[in-house]
Amino acid sequence: MSKESPVAVLGSTPEFRDLLCDCGFRNVFVIDKNQEFHERMNHMRIFRNEEVFVCGDWIDVLGSYEAMFSLVLSDLTSGNVAYCDRARFYELIDGSLSRGGWFIDKVLTNERKLISIEHIEAYYADSPINLQSANRFSCEAIFCSELQLENEMIDTSEIYRRLEVRLPGRRFMALCELAKRVTPPGCRWYYGRPWGMLSGSYCPSLTLRRSFELPREGPYSGRAKQFIWQKC
């Protein structure tokens, strides 16, 4: 793959942008509809290379880049896309790839049974209250717990409210407050539908080259997968 060929990052993920810079890619497009968030992520980067920032919704802007990108990187983007728009979203990614181009994507599939509040309460009853625990708590209690089932959606304000009712006490209050620094209230993600209902519209026109589970020690072990697709 030529380091001069255009590549894209869906969202402002700083790790991807630093990786592309470190690997020598010189024509990087960053597509994000939230300019304020993009600017915040700029401060988390190691490198300060020049990029092309495209401010807009992926559904609205990807169609402007027909057969352009040799690589598209995506980290847990599917939850930001309404269920009714998923098929179109992946069609647009396909259309934006040049022949032989790659789409590398991490997806929260939650194929294991969702985590019960009782399990979360027992696990975190004596865990240290620090950012590492808060990040794991955010992943498990918000994105992998049974609380998402009712509306097939994650509304963080509602989930924090329910957690504070179900997990009373100063320890869990402190853990929730720290978790809000990782996953703030007032956000929504489209999770809650079984992966079997969604997988049919996931990149049907691309060729799957590899998929693998995330590391066992991580909070998404057995619940998320990394996919490597190619346009043939």
Side-chain angles (χ1 to χ4, degrees):
M1 185 186 304
S2 169
K3 299 301 175 66
E4 300 292 340
S5 62
V7 298
V9 180
L10 301 182
S12 297
T13 310
E15 296 90 345
F16 279 160
R17 295 159 64 196
D18 281 337
L19 177 63
L20 290 171
C21 179
D22 205 22
C23 289
F25 287 94
R26 289 179 283 276
N27 199 1
V28 179
F29 287 70
V30 179
I31 307 173
D32 196 318
K33 68 178 181 180
N34 189 328
Q35 185 164 358
E36 180 183 355
F37 179 75
H38 173 73
E39 292 170 358
R40 285 169 53 197
M41 292 301 100
N42 288 343
H43 296 294
M44 298 182 67
R45 293 197 56 202
I46 299 170
F47 301 108
R48 294 293 181 266
N49 58 302
E50 185 176 345
E51 299 171 320
V52 179
F53 175 57
V54 181
C55 187
D57 190 289
W58 302 316
I59 298 289
D60 297 331
V61 304
L62 277 171
S64 301
Y65 299 96
E66 185 70 25
M68 182 168 177
F69 301 122
S70 60
L71 172 66
V72 174
L73 298 179
S74 162
D75 185 67
L76 299 173
T77 58
S78 64
N80 294 282
V81 180
Y83 298 119
C84 61
D85 292 330
R86 294 277 178 92
R88 178 61 178 156
F89 175 55
Y90 294 116
E91 286 176 7
L92 287 165
I93 291 171
D94 177 14
S96 75
L97 289 170
S98 58
R99 182 68 61 183
W102 298 88
F103 176 46
I104 300 178
D105 186 30
K106 183 164 73 180
V107 180
L108 183 62
T109 59
N110 267 328
E111 292 172 273
R112 290 175 58 188
K113 183 180 179 181
L114 292 171
I115 304 171
S116 69
I117 297 302
E118 290 75 17
H119 176 85
I120 291 170
E121 182 175 21
Y123 184 88
Y124 290 96
D126 56 359
S127 66
I129 307 298
N130 55 32
L131 284 175
Q132 184 176 9
S133 292
N135 180 68
R136 190 176 191 98
F137 178 81
S138 169
C139 294
E140 295 184 339
I142 296 176
F143 291 98
C144 299
S145 82
E146 61 189 7
L147 294 179
Q148 65 183 260
L149 286 175
E150 185 175 337
N151 298 312
E152 296 185 339
M153 181 182 292
I154 290 174
D155 178 331
T156 54
S157 294
E158 175 63 16
I159 285 184
Y160 280 123
R161 186 191 68 78
R162 292 171 69 183
L163 284 171
E164 288 161 5
V165 170
R166 297 282 298 275
L167 303 175
R170 295 185 64 180
R171 161 173 286 276
F172 285 105
M173 184 179 296
L175 196 54
C176 280
E177 288 305 310
L178 266 183
K180 290 175 185 178
R181 296 170 62 179
V182 179
T183 308
C187 300
R188 290 188 177 187
W189 281 272
Y190 292 89
Y191 291 117
R193 287 190 183 177
W195 178 240
M197 293 177 60
L198 304 171
S199 58
S201 62
Y202 181 48
C203 301
S205 55
L206 297 178
T207 300
L208 183 62
R209 296 303 188 189
R210 188 181 174 194
S211 67
F212 51 91
E213 303 284 347
L214 298 190
R216 290 185 179 180
E217 63 272 13
Y220 289 144
S221 175
R223 302 183 181 280
K225 290 181 179 177
Q226 193 82 46
F227 293 91
I228 301 176
W229 301 91
Q230 188 175 28
K231 183 170 184 174
C232 298

